[in-house]
């Protein structure tokens, strides 16, 4: 697991998201789909770790939608897939 500060999902817009040093979006596709299913069918949360200019951050939240290049969380918060470091649930 990547060492990352846990922040409230409401604080994500306070940070400048940046691309991860390596693009993990392809290898995380199964986990992304699993997190989406957990959110939509079971209202369960996933732990999402992503890269910001201030270093890695993580949130525990529900994934609402998944597109080709981003995932949307509650309250319209969008994370670009290129910023993702890890997903767990």
């Amino acid at each position: 697991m990547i060492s990352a500060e846990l922040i409230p999902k409401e604080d994500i817009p306070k940070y400048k998201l940046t691309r991860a040093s390596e693009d993990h979006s392809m290898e995380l596709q199964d986990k992304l789909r699993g997190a989406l299913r957990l959110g939509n069918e079971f209202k369960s949360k996933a732990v999402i770790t992503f890269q910001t200019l201030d270093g890695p951050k993580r949130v525990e939240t529900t994934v609402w939608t998944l597109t080709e290049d981003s995932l949307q969380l509650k309250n319209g918060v969008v994370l670009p897939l290129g910023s993702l470091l890890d997903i767990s649930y």
Side-chain angles (χ1 to χ4, degrees), residues 4-76:
E5 177 186 4
L6 179 64
I7 62 169
K9 70 178 173 306
E10 296 81 13
D11 286 355
I12 293 173
K14 297 178 183 176
Y15 294 92
K16 173 75 173 151
L17 302 178
T18 185
R19 293 191 73 75
S21 59
E22 294 180 36
D23 186 351
H24 299 279
S25 59
M26 291 307 291
E27 66 191 62
L28 293 174
Q29 284 299 312
D30 288 339
K31 286 185 173 183
L32 286 165
R33 285 189 289 275
L36 177 64
R37 184 169 183 241
L38 274 177
N40 288 330
E41 294 181 28
F42 303 104
K43 307 303 181 219
S44 294
K45 296 181 179 186
V47 177
I48 302 167
T49 307
F50 56 96
Q51 188 64 45
T52 73
L53 288 179
D54 296 313
K57 305 294 178 201
R58 65 187 166 96
V59 293
E60 187 174 334
T61 188
T62 304
V63 175
W64 287 80
T65 59
L66 175 63
T67 69
E68 188 176 300
D69 56 359
S70 65
L71 59 93
Q72 184 177 1
L73 312 177
K74 196 172 184 178
N75 299 329

